[in-house]
Amino acid sequence: MEKSSSENAIPPAAAPLKLFGSWASSYTHRVQLALRLKGLEFDYVEEDLGNKSAELLRHNPVHKKVPVLVHGGRALPESDIILQYLDDAWPETRQLLPADAFDRALARFWCHFADDKLGPAVGAVFASTGEDQGAAVRQVHDNLALLEAELRDGAFRGRRFFGGDEVGLLDIVLGCGSYWLAVFEDVTGVRLVDADAFPRFHAWLRDFEALDEVRETIPAVDRLLEYARGLRHMLLGLAGAAAAPSSDAGPTAAAAPAAAAADIAVDI
Amino acid sequence: MAGAKKGLVLLDFWVSPFGQRCRIALAEKGIPYEYSEQELLGAKSDLLLRSNPVHKKIPVLLHDGRPVCESLVILNYLEEAFPDASPKLLPADDAYARAQARFWAAYSDKVYEVGTRLWKLKGEPQAQARAEIVQVLRNLDGELGERSFFGGEAFGFVDVALVPFVPWLPSYERYGEFSVEGIAPRLAAWARRCAERDSVAKSFHPPEKVDEFINLLKKTYGIE
């Protein structure tokens, strides 16, 4: 991020917004959805993740990733930081985080869970086959069970959305990625969200996907399917190459598809 | 919560840098709390397992019995639940500065993440970890620049998030065969400056103790 010096004027809320993203990146979708929910206009720049623009790299030198939101010339990387920034910079717009400090802590905790646990677990299902995949599926189910329990009789019981009557930060983070679950189920032939096992999560996801702003943001399912099929083909092809005997090939070669996947951002 | 203990209880582990983040923030803000040392290498307490069923990890801050988990979530919680406690660790009215603070505080986790790989791994993966941690420290050095603290003139959110990793650096230097003074001199000076603060000094353990703990972990994981 560019260093802000005290001499720089804080950009007025009305200063232009420019979002660098990738059409298949769920992290990009989070920001697009948040901007739409807040009624904030923005310009969008589609990045070719295989050939990142100089401008993107200048705005995010540390991680070199999308999404990056540029506001009045100042860059914000990392979707969860961008979403909190939108609340802070536009306090008059509908707030994504709840007002109460403890509820905010819960939202942040479960957002990290989505990014650190659930997302990678789903990615592991997608990038594997056989026994490895079986283990990854069990991991996803364990994670979904935790969320189901919170919806059933924990922190979020009785709520239509994690944010309450309306979607909030956690809905956006979990939701913009959960649409991939159905896509992955189709491509891998593996059941991830069983409506009988996870009725409340299933109902929440259905309600989330029905929202106008969500339908405007998430790409058409046939595009997602085509993309996912191609990606899985590539990931499994690379994993096959990594399995060839060589003492060094293992960890670094396996890291390559994971890194490619993270970069292409097939993530929850 | 009926019958819940009133006030703040911090479930923690003596050498945990994530726990230290919370201790330092509480001390800086002068917020009273009860420290509760947890057994981690043996059987975890019922209280810990009930308070953080998802990860079963410390730190956990119990506020009138309600658990807040994860160190950076706890730091944000202290800012928001105790609005009259000073100093504020996050800049109050500059949304961009707040975003920068959150970014670099989250980034500071990488010091521990990569540092752990440095002592756990051997050969090529260890070399990769070494290259990464040098880059991380250089990035932090660059972000600090000529300022006294990441918070500017005042010790702030990023300083609290990063400073607990300072006693681990001598171990990382040894495993990685580099020197922080050599690759990130401004960061090294910042570390010395922070160590003079009461809140920091009181929570720190000497690097030798940290190194001993790393050896204990290596034995536990069966690493040579």
Side-chain angles (χ1 to χ4, degrees), chain A residues 93-126:
Chain A
T93 59
R94 92 189 239 189
Q95 296 289 283
L96 303 175
L97 271 167
D100 173 73
F102 187 76
D103 289 340
R104 291 163 78 89
L106 280 175
R108 288 183 175 122
F109 174 86
W110 286 103
C111 282
H112 289 169
F113 176 82
D115 282 345
D116 295 344
K117 298 282 178 211
L118 181 58
V122 175
V125 170
F126 187 70

PDB file of all heavy atoms in Angstrom, chain A residues 93-126:
ATOM      1  N   THR A  93     -23.527   5.005   4.496  1.00  0.00           N
ATOM      2  CA  THR A  93     -24.088   3.903   3.717  1.00  0.00           C
ATOM      3  C   THR A  93     -24.395   2.739   4.646  1.00  0.00           C
ATOM      4  O   THR A  93     -23.921   2.692   5.777  1.00  0.00           O
ATOM      5  CB  THR A  93     -23.107   3.403   2.644  1.00  0.00           C
ATOM      6  OG1 THR A  93     -21.892   2.959   3.274  1.00  0.00           O
ATOM      7  CG2 THR A  93     -22.799   4.502   1.642  1.00  0.00           C
ATOM      8  N   ARG A  94     -25.165   1.774   4.147  1.00  0.00           N
ATOM      9  CA  ARG A  94     -25.499   0.635   5.002  1.00  0.00           C
ATOM     10  C   ARG A  94     -24.208  -0.055   5.409  1.00  0.00           C
ATOM     11  O   ARG A  94     -23.334  -0.317   4.583  1.00  0.00           O
ATOM     12  CB  ARG A  94     -26.486  -0.289   4.287  1.00  0.00           C
ATOM     13  CG  ARG A  94     -25.915  -1.403   3.503  1.00  0.00           C
ATOM     14  CD  ARG A  94     -26.994  -2.076   2.708  1.00  0.00           C
ATOM     15  NE  ARG A  94     -27.086  -3.478   3.057  1.00  0.00           N
ATOM     16  CZ  ARG A  94     -27.823  -4.355   2.415  1.00  0.00           C
ATOM     17  NH1 ARG A  94     -28.571  -3.952   1.399  1.00  0.00           N
ATOM     18  NH2 ARG A  94     -27.841  -5.601   2.779  1.00  0.00           N
ATOM     19  N   GLN A  95     -24.079  -0.315   6.693  1.00  0.00           N
ATOM     20  CA  GLN A  95     -22.856  -0.850   7.263  1.00  0.00           C
ATOM     21  C   GLN A  95     -22.838  -2.373   7.135  1.00  0.00           C
ATOM     22  O   GLN A  95     -23.847  -3.044   7.353  1.00  0.00           O
ATOM     23  CB  GLN A  95     -22.724  -0.429   8.724  1.00  0.00           C
ATOM     24  CG  GLN A  95     -22.576   1.076   8.892  1.00  0.00           C
ATOM     25  CD  GLN A  95     -21.211   1.582   8.404  1.00  0.00           C
ATOM     26  OE1 GLN A  95     -20.204   1.425   9.076  1.00  0.00           O
ATOM     27  NE2 GLN A  95     -21.182   2.195   7.220  1.00  0.00           N
ATOM     28  N   LEU A  96     -21.665  -2.879   6.767  1.00  0.00           N
ATOM     29  CA  LEU A  96     -21.522  -4.317   6.568  1.00  0.00           C
ATOM     30  C   LEU A  96     -21.249  -5.033   7.883  1.00  0.00           C
ATOM     31  O   LEU A  96     -21.674  -6.168   8.093  1.00  0.00           O
ATOM     32  CB  LEU A  96     -20.388  -4.594   5.570  1.00  0.00           C
ATOM     33  CG  LEU A  96     -20.575  -3.908   4.209  1.00  0.00           C
ATOM     34  CD1 LEU A  96     -19.357  -4.139   3.321  1.00  0.00           C
ATOM     35  CD2 LEU A  96     -21.847  -4.392   3.513  1.00  0.00           C
ATOM     36  N   LEU A  97     -20.531  -4.360   8.770  1.00  0.00           N
ATOM     37  CA  LEU A  97     -20.278  -4.932  10.087  1.00  0.00           C
ATOM     38  C   LEU A  97     -21.379  -4.487  11.030  1.00  0.00           C
ATOM     39  O   LEU A  97     -21.887  -3.371  10.922  1.00  0.00           O
ATOM     40  CB  LEU A  97     -18.919  -4.468  10.629  1.00  0.00           C
ATOM     41  CG  LEU A  97     -17.717  -5.327  10.259  1.00  0.00           C
ATOM     42  CD1 LEU A  97     -16.425  -4.600  10.578  1.00  0.00           C
ATOM     43  CD2 LEU A  97     -17.737  -6.657  11.002  1.00  0.00           C
ATOM     44  N   PRO A  98     -21.772  -5.367  11.975  1.00  0.00           N
ATOM     45  CA  PRO A  98     -22.792  -4.962  12.941  1.00  0.00           C
ATOM     46  C   PRO A  98     -22.262  -3.872  13.874  1.00  0.00           C
ATOM     47  O   PRO A  98     -21.055  -3.617  13.922  1.00  0.00           O
ATOM     48  CB  PRO A  98     -23.069  -6.255  13.715  1.00  0.00           C
ATOM     49  CG  PRO A  98     -21.874  -7.121  13.511  1.00  0.00           C
ATOM     50  CD  PRO A  98     -21.264  -6.727  12.202  1.00  0.00           C
ATOM     51  N   ALA A  99     -23.164  -3.236  14.610  1.00  0.00           N
ATOM     52  CA  ALA A  99     -22.768  -2.119  15.468  1.00  0.00           C
ATOM     53  C   ALA A  99     -22.102  -2.586  16.761  1.00  0.00           C
ATOM     54  O   ALA A  99     -21.131  -1.983  17.212  1.00  0.00           O
ATOM     55  CB  ALA A  99     -23.995  -1.268  15.795  1.00  0.00           C
ATOM     56  N   ASP A 100     -22.575  -3.686  17.325  1.00  0.00           N
ATOM     57  CA  ASP A 100     -22.096  -4.123  18.632  1.00  0.00           C
ATOM     58  C   ASP A 100     -20.688  -4.728  18.544  1.00  0.00           C
ATOM     59  O   ASP A 100     -20.415  -5.529  17.640  1.00  0.00           O
ATOM     60  CB  ASP A 100     -23.090  -5.149  19.201  1.00  0.00           C
ATOM     61  CG  ASP A 100     -22.593  -5.774  20.482  1.00  0.00           C
ATOM     62  OD1 ASP A 100     -22.605  -5.071  21.503  1.00  0.00           O
ATOM     63  OD2 ASP A 100     -22.172  -6.957  20.447  1.00  0.00           O
ATOM     64  N   ALA A 101     -19.829  -4.361  19.506  1.00  0.00           N
ATOM     65  CA  ALA A 101     -18.428  -4.801  19.471  1.00  0.00           C
ATOM     66  C   ALA A 101     -18.286  -6.320  19.490  1.00  0.00           C
ATOM     67  O   ALA A 101     -17.457  -6.888  18.776  1.00  0.00           O
ATOM     68  CB  ALA A 101     -17.656  -4.183  20.647  1.00  0.00           C
ATOM     69  N   PHE A 102     -19.111  -7.002  20.299  1.00  0.00           N
ATOM     70  CA  PHE A 102     -18.996  -8.461  20.378  1.00  0.00           C
ATOM     71  C   PHE A 102     -19.465  -9.106  19.076  1.00  0.00           C
ATOM     72  O   PHE A 102     -18.847 -10.046  18.573  1.00  0.00           O
ATOM     73  CB  PHE A 102     -19.805  -9.006  21.571  1.00  0.00           C
ATOM     74  CG  PHE A 102     -19.596 -10.474  21.802  1.00  0.00           C
ATOM     75  CD1 PHE A 102     -18.428 -10.940  22.394  1.00  0.00           C
ATOM     76  CD2 PHE A 102     -20.556 -11.404  21.398  1.00  0.00           C
ATOM     77  CE1 PHE A 102     -18.215 -12.301  22.600  1.00  0.00           C
ATOM     78  CE2 PHE A 102     -20.351 -12.766  21.599  1.00  0.00           C
ATOM     79  CZ  PHE A 102     -19.173 -13.218  22.199  1.00  0.00           C
ATOM     80  N   ASP A 103     -20.544  -8.584  18.502  1.00  0.00           N
ATOM     81  CA  ASP A 103     -21.033  -9.099  17.218  1.00  0.00           C
ATOM     82  C   ASP A 103     -20.005  -8.868  16.116  1.00  0.00           C
ATOM     83  O   ASP A 103     -19.856  -9.693  15.214  1.00  0.00           O
ATOM     84  CB  ASP A 103     -22.359  -8.427  16.838  1.00  0.00           C
ATOM     85  CG  ASP A 103     -23.508  -8.881  17.725  1.00  0.00           C
ATOM     86  OD1 ASP A 103     -23.385  -9.953  18.365  1.00  0.00           O
ATOM     87  OD2 ASP A 103     -24.527  -8.158  17.787  1.00  0.00           O
ATOM     88  N   ARG A 104     -19.310  -7.737  16.169  1.00  0.00           N
ATOM     89  CA  ARG A 104     -18.254  -7.472  15.192  1.00  0.00           C
ATOM     90  C   ARG A 104     -17.140  -8.499  15.330  1.00  0.00           C
ATOM     91  O   ARG A 104     -16.597  -8.998  14.339  1.00  0.00           O
ATOM     92  CB  ARG A 104     -17.696  -6.060  15.367  1.00  0.00           C
ATOM     93  CG  ARG A 104     -18.682  -4.971  14.987  1.00  0.00           C
ATOM     94  CD  ARG A 104     -18.279  -3.617  15.556  1.00  0.00           C
ATOM     95  NE  ARG A 104     -17.218  -2.986  14.786  1.00  0.00           N
ATOM     96  CZ  ARG A 104     -17.437  -2.181  13.745  1.00  0.00           C
ATOM     97  NH1 ARG A 104     -18.671  -1.921  13.359  1.00  0.00           N
ATOM     98  NH2 ARG A 104     -16.417  -1.630  13.116  1.00  0.00           N
ATOM     99  N   ALA A 105     -16.790  -8.815  16.567  1.00  0.00           N
ATOM    100  CA  ALA A 105     -15.741  -9.816  16.815  1.00  0.00           C
ATOM    101  C   ALA A 105     -16.154 -11.171  16.239  1.00  0.00           C
ATOM    102  O   ALA A 105     -15.346 -11.870  15.633  1.00  0.00           O
ATOM    103  CB  ALA A 105     -15.449  -9.924  18.306  1.00  0.00           C
ATOM    104  N   LEU A 106     -17.411 -11.541  16.422  1.00  0.00           N
ATOM    105  CA  LEU A 106     -17.913 -12.806  15.871  1.00  0.00           C
ATOM    106  C   LEU A 106     -17.834 -12.802  14.349  1.00  0.00           C
ATOM    107  O   LEU A 106     -17.404 -13.783  13.734  1.00  0.00           O
ATOM    108  CB  LEU A 106     -19.363 -13.034  16.286  1.00  0.00           C
ATOM    109  CG  LEU A 106     -19.597 -13.568  17.684  1.00  0.00           C
ATOM    110  CD1 LEU A 106     -21.096 -13.619  17.968  1.00  0.00           C
ATOM    111  CD2 LEU A 106     -19.006 -14.962  17.859  1.00  0.00           C
ATOM    112  N   ALA A 107     -18.269 -11.709  13.728  1.00  0.00           N
ATOM    113  CA  ALA A 107     -18.230 -11.616  12.266  1.00  0.00           C
ATOM    114  C   ALA A 107     -16.796 -11.768  11.767  1.00  0.00           C
ATOM    115  O   ALA A 107     -16.527 -12.505  10.814  1.00  0.00           O
ATOM    116  CB  ALA A 107     -18.824 -10.291  11.801  1.00  0.00           C
ATOM    117  N   ARG A 108     -15.868 -11.090  12.414  1.00  0.00           N
ATOM    118  CA  ARG A 108     -14.452 -11.161  11.991  1.00  0.00           C
ATOM    119  C   ARG A 108     -13.915 -12.575  12.182  1.00  0.00           C
ATOM    120  O   ARG A 108     -13.202 -13.115  11.334  1.00  0.00           O
ATOM    121  CB  ARG A 108     -13.606 -10.164  12.797  1.00  0.00           C
ATOM    122  CG  ARG A 108     -13.848  -8.718  12.411  1.00  0.00           C
ATOM    123  CD  ARG A 108     -12.931  -7.768  13.182  1.00  0.00           C
ATOM    124  NE  ARG A 108     -13.095  -6.410  12.704  1.00  0.00           N
ATOM    125  CZ  ARG A 108     -13.458  -5.375  13.463  1.00  0.00           C
ATOM    126  NH1 ARG A 108     -13.705  -5.557  14.750  1.00  0.00           N
ATOM    127  NH2 ARG A 108     -13.586  -4.181  12.937  1.00  0.00           N
ATOM    128  N   PHE A 109     -14.247 -13.203  13.311  1.00  0.00           N
ATOM    129  CA  PHE A 109     -13.776 -14.567  13.594  1.00  0.00           C
ATOM    130  C   PHE A 109     -14.224 -15.516  12.490  1.00  0.00           C
ATOM    131  O   PHE A 109     -13.440 -16.292  11.940  1.00  0.00           O
ATOM    132  CB  PHE A 109     -14.315 -15.032  14.951  1.00  0.00           C
ATOM    133  CG  PHE A 109     -14.007 -16.472  15.263  1.00  0.00           C
ATOM    134  CD1 PHE A 109     -12.804 -16.824  15.853  1.00  0.00           C
ATOM    135  CD2 PHE A 109     -14.915 -17.473  14.927  1.00  0.00           C
ATOM    136  CE1 PHE A 109     -12.508 -18.161  16.127  1.00  0.00           C
ATOM    137  CE2 PHE A 109     -14.618 -18.812  15.192  1.00  0.00           C
ATOM    138  CZ  PHE A 109     -13.411 -19.152  15.794  1.00  0.00           C
ATOM    139  N   TRP A 110     -15.505 -15.459  12.158  1.00  0.00           N
ATOM    140  CA  TRP A 110     -16.032 -16.410  11.166  1.00  0.00           C
ATOM    141  C   TRP A 110     -15.565 -16.080   9.749  1.00  0.00           C
ATOM    142  O   TRP A 110     -15.463 -16.964   8.905  1.00  0.00           O
ATOM    143  CB  TRP A 110     -17.553 -16.512  11.278  1.00  0.00           C
ATOM    144  CG  TRP A 110     -17.952 -17.284  12.495  1.00  0.00           C
ATOM    145  CD1 TRP A 110     -18.432 -16.788  13.668  1.00  0.00           C
ATOM    146  CD2 TRP A 110     -17.839 -18.704  12.693  1.00  0.00           C
ATOM    147  NE1 TRP A 110     -18.641 -17.797  14.582  1.00  0.00           N
ATOM    148  CE2 TRP A 110     -18.292 -18.983  14.012  1.00  0.00           C
ATOM    149  CE3 TRP A 110     -17.411 -19.763  11.893  1.00  0.00           C
ATOM    150  CZ2 TRP A 110     -18.331 -20.286  14.537  1.00  0.00           C
ATOM    151  CZ3 TRP A 110     -17.451 -21.058  12.416  1.00  0.00           C
ATOM    152  CH2 TRP A 110     -17.903 -21.304  13.721  1.00  0.00           C
ATOM    153  N   CYS A 111     -15.260 -14.812   9.484  1.00  0.00           N
ATOM    154  CA  CYS A 111     -14.652 -14.458   8.193  1.00  0.00           C
ATOM    155  C   CYS A 111     -13.273 -15.107   8.063  1.00  0.00           C
ATOM    156  O   CYS A 111     -12.935 -15.644   7.013  1.00  0.00           O
ATOM    157  CB  CYS A 111     -14.505 -12.949   8.042  1.00  0.00           C
ATOM    158  SG  CYS A 111     -16.038 -12.128   7.609  1.00  0.00           S
ATOM    159  N   HIS A 112     -12.496 -15.084   9.122  1.00  0.00           N
ATOM    160  CA  HIS A 112     -11.181 -15.749   9.093  1.00  0.00           C
ATOM    161  C   HIS A 112     -11.362 -17.244   8.906  1.00  0.00           C
ATOM    162  O   HIS A 112     -10.605 -17.883   8.187  1.00  0.00           O
ATOM    163  CB  HIS A 112     -10.403 -15.523  10.391  1.00  0.00           C
ATOM    164  CG  HIS A 112      -9.918 -14.131  10.533  1.00  0.00           C
ATOM    165  ND1 HIS A 112      -9.393 -13.638  11.701  1.00  0.00           N
ATOM    166  CD2 HIS A 112      -9.871 -13.110   9.660  1.00  0.00           C
ATOM    167  CE1 HIS A 112      -9.063 -12.375  11.533  1.00  0.00           C
ATOM    168  NE2 HIS A 112      -9.347 -12.033  10.310  1.00  0.00           N
ATOM    169  N   PHE A 113     -12.372 -17.801   9.555  1.00  0.00           N
ATOM    170  CA  PHE A 113     -12.664 -19.221   9.418  1.00  0.00           C
ATOM    171  C   PHE A 113     -12.946 -19.555   7.954  1.00  0.00           C
ATOM    172  O   PHE A 113     -12.447 -20.534   7.416  1.00  0.00           O
ATOM    173  CB  PHE A 113     -13.864 -19.585  10.306  1.00  0.00           C
ATOM    174  CG  PHE A 113     -14.308 -21.009  10.177  1.00  0.00           C
ATOM    175  CD1 PHE A 113     -13.645 -21.999  10.878  1.00  0.00           C
ATOM    176  CD2 PHE A 113     -15.369 -21.355   9.357  1.00  0.00           C
ATOM    177  CE1 PHE A 113     -14.051 -23.330  10.770  1.00  0.00           C
ATOM    178  CE2 PHE A 113     -15.771 -22.673   9.242  1.00  0.00           C
ATOM    179  CZ  PHE A 113     -15.113 -23.666   9.947  1.00  0.00           C
ATOM    180  N   ALA A 114     -13.747 -18.711   7.321  1.00  0.00           N
ATOM    181  CA  ALA A 114     -14.088 -18.930   5.913  1.00  0.00           C
ATOM    182  C   ALA A 114     -12.824 -18.926   5.053  1.00  0.00           C
ATOM    183  O   ALA A 114     -12.651 -19.770   4.183  1.00  0.00           O
ATOM    184  CB  ALA A 114     -15.056 -17.861   5.425  1.00  0.00           C
ATOM    185  N   ASP A 115     -11.929 -17.991   5.309  1.00  0.00           N
ATOM    186  CA  ASP A 115     -10.722 -17.836   4.507  1.00  0.00           C
ATOM    187  C   ASP A 115      -9.629 -18.842   4.868  1.00  0.00           C
ATOM    188  O   ASP A 115      -8.899 -19.297   3.994  1.00  0.00           O
ATOM    189  CB  ASP A 115     -10.167 -16.412   4.642  1.00  0.00           C
ATOM    190  CG  ASP A 115     -10.957 -15.419   3.803  1.00  0.00           C
ATOM    191  OD1 ASP A 115     -11.727 -15.858   2.931  1.00  0.00           O
ATOM    192  OD2 ASP A 115     -10.811 -14.198   4.021  1.00  0.00           O
ATOM    193  N   ASP A 116      -9.473 -19.152   6.159  1.00  0.00           N
ATOM    194  CA  ASP A 116      -8.362 -20.007   6.590  1.00  0.00           C
ATOM    195  C   ASP A 116      -8.706 -21.491   6.596  1.00  0.00           C
ATOM    196  O   ASP A 116      -7.821 -22.327   6.465  1.00  0.00           O
ATOM    197  CB  ASP A 116      -7.899 -19.650   8.008  1.00  0.00           C
ATOM    198  CG  ASP A 116      -7.307 -18.263   8.080  1.00  0.00           C
ATOM    199  OD1 ASP A 116      -6.977 -17.705   7.023  1.00  0.00           O
ATOM    200  OD2 ASP A 116      -7.193 -17.739   9.200  1.00  0.00           O
ATOM    201  N   LYS A 117      -9.993 -21.810   6.812  1.00  0.00           N
ATOM    202  CA  LYS A 117     -10.373 -23.224   6.967  1.00  0.00           C
ATOM    203  C   LYS A 117     -11.265 -23.718   5.830  1.00  0.00           C
ATOM    204  O   LYS A 117     -10.922 -24.632   5.093  1.00  0.00           O
ATOM    205  CB  LYS A 117     -11.101 -23.436   8.309  1.00  0.00           C
ATOM    206  CG  LYS A 117     -10.262 -23.120   9.523  1.00  0.00           C
ATOM    207  CD  LYS A 117      -9.267 -24.223   9.844  1.00  0.00           C
ATOM    208  CE  LYS A 117      -8.417 -23.846  11.028  1.00  0.00           C
ATOM    209  NZ  LYS A 117      -7.080 -24.400  10.996  1.00  0.00           N
ATOM    210  N   LEU A 118     -12.454 -23.103   5.709  1.00  0.00           N
ATOM    211  CA  LEU A 118     -13.432 -23.616   4.753  1.00  0.00           C
ATOM    212  C   LEU A 118     -12.931 -23.494   3.320  1.00  0.00           C
ATOM    213  O   LEU A 118     -12.964 -24.457   2.551  1.00  0.00           O
ATOM    214  CB  LEU A 118     -14.766 -22.894   4.928  1.00  0.00           C
ATOM    215  CG  LEU A 118     -15.905 -23.336   4.006  1.00  0.00           C
ATOM    216  CD1 LEU A 118     -16.194 -24.820   4.162  1.00  0.00           C
ATOM    217  CD2 LEU A 118     -17.166 -22.525   4.294  1.00  0.00           C
ATOM    218  N   GLY A 119     -12.448 -22.308   2.969  1.00  0.00           N
ATOM    219  CA  GLY A 119     -11.976 -22.068   1.610  1.00  0.00           C
ATOM    220  C   GLY A 119     -10.905 -23.054   1.172  1.00  0.00           C
ATOM    221  O   GLY A 119     -11.069 -23.739   0.156  1.00  0.00           O
ATOM    222  N   PRO A 120      -9.807 -23.155   1.905  1.00  0.00           N
ATOM    223  CA  PRO A 120      -8.766 -24.114   1.541  1.00  0.00           C
ATOM    224  C   PRO A 120      -9.271 -25.566   1.507  1.00  0.00           C
ATOM    225  O   PRO A 120      -8.825 -26.345   0.665  1.00  0.00           O
ATOM    226  CB  PRO A 120      -7.722 -23.934   2.650  1.00  0.00           C
ATOM    227  CG  PRO A 120      -7.901 -22.535   3.118  1.00  0.00           C
ATOM    228  CD  PRO A 120      -9.372 -22.260   2.996  1.00  0.00           C
ATOM    229  N   ALA A 121     -10.192 -25.911   2.402  1.00  0.00           N
ATOM    230  CA  ALA A 121     -10.732 -27.279   2.402  1.00  0.00           C
ATOM    231  C   ALA A 121     -11.481 -27.558   1.105  1.00  0.00           C
ATOM    232  O   ALA A 121     -11.324 -28.622   0.499  1.00  0.00           O
ATOM    233  CB  ALA A 121     -11.636 -27.495   3.607  1.00  0.00           C
ATOM    234  N   VAL A 122     -12.285 -26.604   0.671  1.00  0.00           N
ATOM    235  CA  VAL A 122     -13.012 -26.773  -0.589  1.00  0.00           C
ATOM    236  C   VAL A 122     -12.035 -26.829  -1.753  1.00  0.00           C
ATOM    237  O   VAL A 122     -12.173 -27.644  -2.672  1.00  0.00           O
ATOM    238  CB  VAL A 122     -14.042 -25.643  -0.797  1.00  0.00           C
ATOM    239  CG1 VAL A 122     -14.713 -25.755  -2.153  1.00  0.00           C
ATOM    240  CG2 VAL A 122     -15.088 -25.664   0.303  1.00  0.00           C
ATOM    241  N   GLY A 123     -11.029 -25.977  -1.706  1.00  0.00           N
ATOM    242  CA  GLY A 123      -9.992 -25.990  -2.741  1.00  0.00           C
ATOM    243  C   GLY A 123      -9.308 -27.349  -2.807  1.00  0.00           C
ATOM    244  O   GLY A 123      -9.011 -27.847  -3.895  1.00  0.00           O
ATOM    245  N   ALA A 124      -9.073 -27.954  -1.649  1.00  0.00           N
ATOM    246  CA  ALA A 124      -8.417 -29.269  -1.592  1.00  0.00           C
ATOM    247  C   ALA A 124      -9.290 -30.344  -2.242  1.00  0.00           C
ATOM    248  O   ALA A 124      -8.788 -31.241  -2.921  1.00  0.00           O
ATOM    249  CB  ALA A 124      -8.096 -29.634  -0.156  1.00  0.00           C
ATOM    250  N   VAL A 125     -10.607 -30.282  -2.041  1.00  0.00           N
ATOM    251  CA  VAL A 125     -11.517 -31.236  -2.695  1.00  0.00           C
ATOM    252  C   VAL A 125     -11.377 -31.111  -4.197  1.00  0.00           C
ATOM    253  O   VAL A 125     -11.312 -32.097  -4.933  1.00  0.00           O
ATOM    254  CB  VAL A 125     -12.989 -30.968  -2.295  1.00  0.00           C
ATOM    255  CG1 VAL A 125     -13.946 -31.781  -3.155  1.00  0.00           C
ATOM    256  CG2 VAL A 125     -13.204 -31.255  -0.822  1.00  0.00           C
ATOM    257  N   PHE A 126     -11.328 -29.860  -4.634  1.00  0.00           N
ATOM    258  CA  PHE A 126     -11.304 -29.572  -6.052  1.00  0.00           C
ATOM    259  C   PHE A 126     -10.011 -30.019  -6.708  1.00  0.00           C
ATOM    260  O   PHE A 126     -10.001 -30.411  -7.875  1.00  0.00           O
ATOM    261  CB  PHE A 126     -11.523 -28.071  -6.241  1.00  0.00           C
ATOM    262  CG  PHE A 126     -11.687 -27.666  -7.661  1.00  0.00           C
ATOM    263  CD1 PHE A 126     -12.835 -28.010  -8.358  1.00  0.00           C
ATOM    264  CD2 PHE A 126     -10.696 -26.965  -8.319  1.00  0.00           C
ATOM    265  CE1 PHE A 126     -12.995 -27.659  -9.686  1.00  0.00           C
ATOM    266  CE2 PHE A 126     -10.848 -26.607  -9.651  1.00  0.00           C
ATOM    267  CZ  PHE A 126     -12.003 -26.954 -10.327  1.00  0.00           C
TER     268      PHE A 126
END
